[in-house]
Amino acid sequence: MADTPTPNPTPSPTPQNNENLVSDFSKSMSYGDYLHLDQILSSQHRLSNHHDEMLFIIIHQASELWMKLILHELTAARASIQQNNLEPAFKMLARVSRIQQQLIQSWDVLSTLTPAEYMEFRHALGSSSGFQSYQNRLIEFMLGLKKPTVLDVYGHQTELHKQLTDAMNEPSIYDAAIGALAKRGLPIDQDYLQRDWSQPYAENDSVREAWLTVYRDVDQYWDLYELAEKLVDIDSRQQQWRFNHMGTVERVIGFKRGTGGSSGVDYLKHVVGQRYFPELWSLRTVL
């Protein structure tokens, strides 16, 4: 039998030529300069000598950066929807749900902190608490959860209080989506198109019927259908984030009160089932 020819070995990749690699940044911008890493990486100040306080700080700082990007995307998506230009919003909303997944997974990292370890530095937090995260409040306002009483926490910061007040008086992204339904000729109660945006959203029959029309004729209303499902993705992941938050808090501090005075796990259990876009969930039972 003839010998089977031996295939030629895969050629080794050609080494990269680094002769033009920039090494002098005395007159040009470096990676660290662009990202302001000197500021970011020097902003972790432990108030105790405990090793695990660094984990606690970085998890929360990283979460705030992701929240900043969520607000950036939601603000642009809302503007796109209000301009009746839905397609660009789909990419932005899809990105938001991916960012939310990062935030959900961050609880897994924080849950490596044991109760005994956390108690070693919890006293250093004083009255500071994640409950006071103004970016989280802005996200809730953008999604339609409006509670004027939460503004009291920011009364000592005049500019921030005004920013939050202004945001509370703006339509949510869901209000913009309801407006898009009306622009397509679907009947929406007029008082829901011109309501007081600072008030919490309440489920409405005309909105549910409009969404039902969309879901029953996907071909005609494909863009509105796509918008609805993107919003459901965000709502669903927000509930997952809350649930993982609740589980992590219970694992680390049990049923103690939060450092900011909240009821801790009891409060988180109360809010974990809240829906931002109620008609998009209730229609599923009717379909």
Side-chain angles (χ1 to χ4, degrees):
M1 179 182 293
D3 292 338
T4 304
T6 303
N8 293 328
T10 304
S12 300
T14 304
Q16 295 295 315
N17 186 343
N18 290 326
E19 292 179 1
N20 296 321
L21 193 66
V22 178
S23 59
D24 181 3
F25 292 95
S26 59
K27 296 182 179 179
S28 62
M29 180 174 62
S30 70
Y31 172 82
D33 295 332
Y34 175 67
L35 295 177
H36 296 279
L37 292 182
D38 55 338
Q39 298 174 41
I40 294 174
L41 299 180
S42 61
S43 296
Q44 294 72 46
H45 305 291
R46 288 184 294 167
L47 298 180
S48 73
N49 291 322
H50 197 277
H51 172 84
D52 291 318
E53 189 182 354
M54 184 64 75
L55 162 69
F56 193 82
I57 292 171
I58 289 177
I59 284 288
H60 288 85
Q61 287 184 339
S63 294
E64 290 293 335
L65 285 173
W66 283 125
M67 288 181 189
K68 183 172 184 176
L69 184 54
I70 285 177
L71 288 166
H72 177 71
E73 299 296 340
L74 286 177
T75 300
R78 180 180 60 184
S80 182
I81 295 167
Q82 288 172 327
Q83 294 162 11
N84 206 28
N85 186 20
L86 302 188
E87 288 194 3
F90 300 157
K91 175 67 176 294
M92 300 165 190
L93 296 177
R95 182 174 291 159
V96 168
S97 64
R98 297 292 183 89
I99 298 167
Q100 288 174 303
Q101 195 61 42
Q102 295 293 319
L103 290 169
I104 291 167
Q105 292 174 348
S106 71
W107 295 121
D108 291 340
V109 182
L110 189 58
S111 67
T112 63
L113 181 68
T114 69
E117 291 164 346
Y118 183 47
M119 288 304 114
E120 290 291 324
F121 65 85
R122 189 182 191 228
H123 65 279
L125 305 181
S127 297
S128 65
S129 166
F131 182 81
Q132 299 149 15
S133 168
Y134 75 87
Q135 290 199 122
N136 188 44
R137 293 301 177 196
L138 288 171
I139 290 171
E140 289 183 337
F141 293 172
M142 179 65 79
L143 297 179
L145 183 61
K146 309 287 184 72
K147 291 182 179 180
T149 55
V150 304
L151 297 179
D152 296 343
V153 176
Y154 312 99
H156 65 296
Q157 296 170 286
T158 305
E159 292 185 7
L160 181 55
H161 189 277
K162 182 181 184 306
Q163 180 185 355
L164 286 156
T165 302
D166 290 346
M168 178 168 283
N169 285 282
E170 294 174 350
S172 71
I173 196 163
Y174 193 50
D175 291 316
I178 293 170
L181 292 171
K183 289 174 183 175
R184 291 291 287 276
L186 294 165
I188 303 292
D189 289 346
Q190 194 63 27
D191 57 351
Y192 263 65
L193 297 173
Q194 299 177 347
R195 69 186 188 88
D196 181 353
W197 308 124
S198 69
Q199 295 303 305
Y201 182 82
E203 191 167 359
N204 176 263
D205 290 341
S206 71
V207 174
R208 184 173 58 254
E209 288 302 316
W211 284 124
L212 276 168
T213 299
V214 169
Y215 274 73
R216 285 169 173 158
D217 193 350
V218 172
D219 290 339
Q220 180 178 349
Y221 299 106
W222 177 261
D223 53 347
L224 291 170
Y225 172 72
E226 182 74 7
L227 173 61
E229 286 297 295
K230 289 288 187 289
L231 292 174
V232 169
D233 285 343
I234 289 172
D235 201 338
S236 180
R237 281 188 168 84
Q238 197 71 1
Q239 304 319 310
Q240 293 177 47
W241 180 82
R242 283 174 162 174
F243 182 82
N244 284 28
H245 183 189
M246 178 189 70
T248 302
V249 170
E250 185 172 358
R251 176 171 177 160
V252 176
I253 68 168
F255 285 81
K256 294 183 180 71
R257 296 193 70 85
T259 48
S262 73
S263 57
V265 171
D266 286 335
Y267 169 77
L268 295 172
K269 283 186 175 181
H270 172 71
V271 301
V272 76
Q274 289 179 339
R275 297 295 190 187
Y276 293 99
F277 318 129
E279 294 88 357
L280 293 179
W281 294 99
S282 62
L283 71 81
R284 283 156 161 76
T285 304
V286 180
L287 275 174

